[in-house]
Amino acid sequence: MNSKIKGYLLGSVAEITYGMNPLFTLPLYGDGMDPNSVLFFRYLCALPVILLMLRWRGQSLKVSGAQILRLALLGVMFALSSLTLFKSYNHMGAGIASTLLFVYPIVVALIMRVVYKERLSVTTALCMVMALTGIGLLYKGEDGSTLSLTGTLLVMASALSYAFYIIFTNRSNVRTLPTLTITFYVLLFGWMVFAANAFWSGTLSVPSEPVMWVNVAALAVLPTAVSLICTTGAIQLIGSTMTAILGALEPLTAVFFGVVVFGEMLTGRDIVGIVLIIAGVSLVVGGGKIDVLLNRIVRMFPKRLRSTT
């Protein structure tokens, strides 16, 4: 199989499996579990899976003292992103929440512009307007009703936490570590956050039936381990840009399961909003390549014709 085709397939599987979060999470909520408890068991079950993958690839868990502190901070950021997203499922449709979360690349671009003074292109600015317009369409429905403000703020907090996680990972000394090593420690410290939260609150709900444990195991394997393996493989074969663009499949998958399995309703306005957000974010991620492509198209025309347009 061609390496690029394999990369596209791996990237697609990665995002589709990550989009399955609501498919296994919502039944656990129906069983009486709260978001912190679901994530406690999800991370706990994912840790041995990642550890086996590390051993299989012959990678080490050895890190320096400075790196362990940064990994702990990354674990807290990642845990907050997961917790706020899972809490938002209690206030809005999982498909809409996953679509709103997909604005995190735009949040990254804004942070890089404000904090690190990176240049913000016209293309990126226009794409931000597209995404914000899409959010506005989702927030206020055709009948005048609005999304839950609490749910929307939770998703935005999740996107912000994940954006800081990405930036801090790329700009700290942990980026030299193997991906699986970073993932193991991030999950470990993230699990500690949920364990501390359960200890502090004095509540930890446990799945009441064997089938619910299947949902927990599926959460640990599909949206976590399988998604991670496929994402890493896709980045190696087709690069981070194209892998990120394939990320549009994640909210589409969540929307699909939300509508088909859980009976969530989508209006025409919702569909337009989802398309605007996904298109805007995809253009931001692929902006550099798109600019190159547009320049090549322009060069195909004679200079005289270009000067008259």
Side-chain angles (χ1 to χ4, degrees):
M1 182 185 294
N2 182 283
S3 62
K4 283 193 173 182
I5 295 176
K6 185 178 180 181
Y8 288 127
L9 287 174
L10 286 173
S12 299
V13 171
E15 300 307 330
I16 289 172
T17 51
Y18 193 77
M20 292 179 178
N21 267 315
L23 182 62
F24 307 115
T25 302
L26 297 183
L28 292 171
Y29 287 178
D31 192 45
M33 294 186 69
D34 60 275
N36 188 80
S37 298
V38 171
L39 288 166
F40 174 93
F41 287 108
R42 175 190 177 180
Y43 278 45
L44 183 61
C45 293
L47 281 170
V49 176
I50 301 300
L51 188 60
L52 286 173
M53 291 164 58
L54 275 163
R55 297 306 183 194
W56 178 56
R57 295 189 177 187
Q59 296 178 355
S60 172
L61 286 173
K62 186 178 180 180
V63 296
S64 68
Q67 287 173 329
I68 201 71
L69 291 175
R70 288 170 172 79
L71 287 167
L73 180 58
L74 287 174
V76 172
M77 291 179 182
F78 198 76
L80 289 176
S81 180
S82 297
L83 185 58
T84 47
L85 176 64
F86 274 46
K87 280 181 175 292
S88 73
Y89 292 164
N90 288 323
H91 301 277
M92 63 172 62
I96 299 298
S98 297
T99 303
L100 292 176
L101 178 68
F102 192 57
V103 303
Y104 73 84
I106 289 180
V107 179
V108 170
L110 281 174
I111 294 173
M112 296 304 291
R113 174 69 183 92
V114 174
V115 178
Y116 297 101
K117 309 302 179 184
E118 285 195 359
R119 178 177 170 270
L120 193 66
S121 68
V122 175
T123 302
T124 301
L126 289 174
C127 291
M128 287 180 178
V129 172
M130 288 175 61
L132 290 173
T133 302
I135 292 173
L137 290 173
L138 288 179
Y139 187 72
K140 188 170 184 178
E142 292 173 335
D143 59 355
S145 62
T146 59
L147 289 177
S148 163
L149 178 60
T150 301
T152 303
L153 291 176
L154 284 169
V155 178
M156 292 300 105
S158 179
L160 184 62
S161 299
Y162 191 58
F164 276 116
Y165 169 81
I166 292 173
I167 293 170
F168 195 77
T169 301
N170 290 334
R171 290 183 170 267
S172 69
N173 59 359
V174 303
R175 64 183 178 184
T176 60
L177 296 172
T179 300
L180 284 175
T181 302
I182 295 173
T183 303
F184 176 83
Y185 281 108
V186 166
L187 290 176
L188 176 63
F189 286 114
W191 173 78
M192 289 180 180
V193 171
F194 304 127
N197 193 8
F199 177 80
W200 181 265
S201 64
T203 58
L204 181 66
S205 48
V206 179
S208 63
E209 301 177 13
V211 68
M212 292 302 162
W213 283 106
V214 173
N215 282 300
V216 171
L219 269 177
V221 174
L222 290 173
T224 307
V226 171
S227 181
L228 172 64
I229 295 170
C230 293
T231 297
T232 304
I235 291 172
Q236 292 171 339
L237 293 172
I238 61 175
S240 57
T241 297
M242 288 308 301
T243 302
I245 290 175
L246 288 171
L249 291 172
E250 186 267 322
L252 290 178
T253 303
V255 168
F256 172 80
F257 284 120
V259 172
V260 175
V261 178
F262 301 108
E264 296 176 1
M265 299 298 296
L266 282 182
T267 65
R269 187 184 182 111
D270 292 334
I271 294 172
V272 173
I274 291 170
V275 170
L276 282 173
I277 292 172
I278 292 174
V281 173
S282 298
L283 288 172
V284 167
V285 175
K289 293 193 174 186
I290 291 169
D291 290 341
V292 172
L293 178 61
L294 290 176
N295 287 332
R296 287 178 180 175
I297 293 173
V298 170
R299 292 194 191 101
M300 293 171 61
F301 296 92
K303 289 185 178 180
R304 184 178 302 175
L305 178 59
R306 277 188 275 164
S307 64
T308 60
T309 58

PDB file of all heavy atoms in Angstrom, residues 52-65:
ATOM      1  N   LEU A  52       2.005  -1.192  27.842  1.00  0.00           N
ATOM      2  CA  LEU A  52       2.296  -2.337  26.973  1.00  0.00           C
ATOM      3  C   LEU A  52       2.836  -1.883  25.626  1.00  0.00           C
ATOM      4  O   LEU A  52       3.757  -2.496  25.069  1.00  0.00           O
ATOM      5  CB  LEU A  52       1.027  -3.180  26.783  1.00  0.00           C
ATOM      6  CG  LEU A  52       0.585  -4.034  27.965  1.00  0.00           C
ATOM      7  CD1 LEU A  52      -0.769  -4.679  27.685  1.00  0.00           C
ATOM      8  CD2 LEU A  52       1.633  -5.113  28.264  1.00  0.00           C
ATOM      9  N   MET A  53       2.268  -0.791  25.099  1.00  0.00           N
ATOM     10  CA  MET A  53       2.756  -0.252  23.829  1.00  0.00           C
ATOM     11  C   MET A  53       4.193   0.226  23.959  1.00  0.00           C
ATOM     12  O   MET A  53       5.016   0.041  23.053  1.00  0.00           O
ATOM     13  CB  MET A  53       1.849   0.901  23.381  1.00  0.00           C
ATOM     14  CG  MET A  53       0.456   0.462  22.970  1.00  0.00           C
ATOM     15  SD  MET A  53      -0.720   1.849  22.909  1.00  0.00           S
ATOM     16  CE  MET A  53       0.082   2.917  21.729  1.00  0.00           C
ATOM     17  N   LEU A  54       4.514   0.849  25.105  1.00  0.00           N
ATOM     18  CA  LEU A  54       5.889   1.309  25.349  1.00  0.00           C
ATOM     19  C   LEU A  54       6.853   0.123  25.377  1.00  0.00           C
ATOM     20  O   LEU A  54       7.931   0.176  24.757  1.00  0.00           O
ATOM     21  CB  LEU A  54       5.951   2.060  26.683  1.00  0.00           C
ATOM     22  CG  LEU A  54       5.591   3.543  26.676  1.00  0.00           C
ATOM     23  CD1 LEU A  54       5.295   4.016  28.099  1.00  0.00           C
ATOM     24  CD2 LEU A  54       6.727   4.361  26.080  1.00  0.00           C
ATOM     25  N   ARG A  55       6.483  -0.920  26.095  1.00  0.00           N
ATOM     26  CA  ARG A  55       7.342  -2.094  26.192  1.00  0.00           C
ATOM     27  C   ARG A  55       7.498  -2.770  24.837  1.00  0.00           C
ATOM     28  O   ARG A  55       8.580  -3.258  24.484  1.00  0.00           O
ATOM     29  CB  ARG A  55       6.761  -3.086  27.212  1.00  0.00           C
ATOM     30  CG  ARG A  55       6.704  -2.533  28.639  1.00  0.00           C
ATOM     31  CD  ARG A  55       8.056  -2.030  29.100  1.00  0.00           C
ATOM     32  NE  ARG A  55       8.032  -1.558  30.475  1.00  0.00           N
ATOM     33  CZ  ARG A  55       8.996  -0.839  31.034  1.00  0.00           C
ATOM     34  NH1 ARG A  55      10.053  -0.507  30.310  1.00  0.00           N
ATOM     35  NH2 ARG A  55       8.909  -0.443  32.275  1.00  0.00           N
ATOM     36  N   TRP A  56       6.412  -2.813  24.089  1.00  0.00           N
ATOM     37  CA  TRP A  56       6.441  -3.459  22.767  1.00  0.00           C
ATOM     38  C   TRP A  56       7.387  -2.724  21.823  1.00  0.00           C
ATOM     39  O   TRP A  56       8.101  -3.336  21.033  1.00  0.00           O
ATOM     40  CB  TRP A  56       5.020  -3.493  22.203  1.00  0.00           C
ATOM     41  CG  TRP A  56       4.925  -4.085  20.831  1.00  0.00           C
ATOM     42  CD1 TRP A  56       5.346  -5.320  20.429  1.00  0.00           C
ATOM     43  CD2 TRP A  56       4.386  -3.457  19.659  1.00  0.00           C
ATOM     44  NE1 TRP A  56       5.092  -5.499  19.086  1.00  0.00           N
ATOM     45  CE2 TRP A  56       4.499  -4.378  18.599  1.00  0.00           C
ATOM     46  CE3 TRP A  56       3.802  -2.218  19.422  1.00  0.00           C
ATOM     47  CZ2 TRP A  56       4.072  -4.077  17.311  1.00  0.00           C
ATOM     48  CZ3 TRP A  56       3.360  -1.924  18.148  1.00  0.00           C
ATOM     49  CH2 TRP A  56       3.505  -2.848  17.099  1.00  0.00           C
ATOM     50  N   ARG A  57       7.423  -1.387  21.924  1.00  0.00           N
ATOM     51  CA  ARG A  57       8.304  -0.598  21.070  1.00  0.00           C
ATOM     52  C   ARG A  57       9.694  -0.411  21.668  1.00  0.00           C
ATOM     53  O   ARG A  57      10.553   0.224  21.061  1.00  0.00           O
ATOM     54  CB  ARG A  57       7.681   0.772  20.804  1.00  0.00           C
ATOM     55  CG  ARG A  57       6.397   0.699  19.995  1.00  0.00           C
ATOM     56  CD  ARG A  57       5.943   2.071  19.571  1.00  0.00           C
ATOM     57  NE  ARG A  57       4.754   2.015  18.746  1.00  0.00           N
ATOM     58  CZ  ARG A  57       4.214   3.069  18.132  1.00  0.00           C
ATOM     59  NH1 ARG A  57       4.773   4.263  18.279  1.00  0.00           N
ATOM     60  NH2 ARG A  57       3.136   2.942  17.399  1.00  0.00           N
ATOM     61  N   GLY A  58       9.911  -0.941  22.860  1.00  0.00           N
ATOM     62  CA  GLY A  58      11.215  -0.839  23.481  1.00  0.00           C
ATOM     63  C   GLY A  58      11.575   0.562  23.938  1.00  0.00           C
ATOM     64  O   GLY A  58      12.767   0.905  24.022  1.00  0.00           O
ATOM     65  N   GLN A  59      10.574   1.384  24.252  1.00  0.00           N
ATOM     66  CA  GLN A  59      10.826   2.752  24.685  1.00  0.00           C
ATOM     67  C   GLN A  59      10.870   2.833  26.208  1.00  0.00           C
ATOM     68  O   GLN A  59      10.256   2.039  26.905  1.00  0.00           O
ATOM     69  CB  GLN A  59       9.752   3.695  24.130  1.00  0.00           C
ATOM     70  CG  GLN A  59       9.766   3.795  22.611  1.00  0.00           C
ATOM     71  CD  GLN A  59       8.672   4.696  22.066  1.00  0.00           C
ATOM     72  OE1 GLN A  59       7.828   5.182  22.799  1.00  0.00           O
ATOM     73  NE2 GLN A  59       8.681   4.905  20.758  1.00  0.00           N
ATOM     74  N   SER A  60      11.610   3.817  26.708  1.00  0.00           N
ATOM     75  CA  SER A  60      11.843   3.951  28.139  1.00  0.00           C
ATOM     76  C   SER A  60      10.930   4.992  28.764  1.00  0.00           C
ATOM     77  O   SER A  60      10.465   5.921  28.100  1.00  0.00           O
ATOM     78  CB  SER A  60      13.302   4.350  28.382  1.00  0.00           C
ATOM     79  OG  SER A  60      13.526   4.665  29.741  1.00  0.00           O
ATOM     80  N   LEU A  61      10.696   4.828  30.071  1.00  0.00           N
ATOM     81  CA  LEU A  61       9.938   5.812  30.851  1.00  0.00           C
ATOM     82  C   LEU A  61      10.872   6.786  31.573  1.00  0.00           C
ATOM     83  O   LEU A  61      10.403   7.630  32.333  1.00  0.00           O
ATOM     84  CB  LEU A  61       9.055   5.103  31.882  1.00  0.00           C
ATOM     85  CG  LEU A  61       7.811   4.404  31.340  1.00  0.00           C
ATOM     86  CD1 LEU A  61       7.133   3.610  32.454  1.00  0.00           C
ATOM     87  CD2 LEU A  61       6.834   5.409  30.744  1.00  0.00           C
ATOM     88  N   LYS A  62      12.161   6.693  31.311  1.00  0.00           N
ATOM     89  CA  LYS A  62      13.142   7.526  32.004  1.00  0.00           C
ATOM     90  C   LYS A  62      13.028   8.978  31.549  1.00  0.00           C
ATOM     91  O   LYS A  62      13.076   9.284  30.368  1.00  0.00           O
ATOM     92  CB  LYS A  62      14.554   7.006  31.726  1.00  0.00           C
ATOM     93  CG  LYS A  62      15.619   7.733  32.528  1.00  0.00           C
ATOM     94  CD  LYS A  62      16.994   7.138  32.256  1.00  0.00           C
ATOM     95  CE  LYS A  62      18.063   7.862  33.056  1.00  0.00           C
ATOM     96  NZ  LYS A  62      19.423   7.286  32.797  1.00  0.00           N
ATOM     97  N   VAL A  63      12.866   9.888  32.516  1.00  0.00           N
ATOM     98  CA  VAL A  63      12.808  11.327  32.248  1.00  0.00           C
ATOM     99  C   VAL A  63      13.601  12.048  33.328  1.00  0.00           C
ATOM    100  O   VAL A  63      13.873  11.499  34.406  1.00  0.00           O
ATOM    101  CB  VAL A  63      11.356  11.858  32.224  1.00  0.00           C
ATOM    102  CG1 VAL A  63      10.567  11.241  31.081  1.00  0.00           C
ATOM    103  CG2 VAL A  63      10.657  11.583  33.562  1.00  0.00           C
ATOM    104  N   SER A  64      13.961  13.298  33.053  1.00  0.00           N
ATOM    105  CA  SER A  64      14.708  14.088  34.026  1.00  0.00           C
ATOM    106  C   SER A  64      13.759  14.727  35.040  1.00  0.00           C
ATOM    107  O   SER A  64      12.536  14.749  34.847  1.00  0.00           O
ATOM    108  CB  SER A  64      15.500  15.182  33.314  1.00  0.00           C
ATOM    109  OG  SER A  64      14.631  16.146  32.751  1.00  0.00           O
ATOM    110  N   GLY A  65      14.339  15.267  36.123  1.00  0.00           N
ATOM    111  CA  GLY A  65      13.529  15.930  37.138  1.00  0.00           C
ATOM    112  C   GLY A  65      12.783  17.122  36.590  1.00  0.00           C
ATOM    113  O   GLY A  65      11.605  17.351  36.924  1.00  0.00           O
TER     114      GLY A  65
END
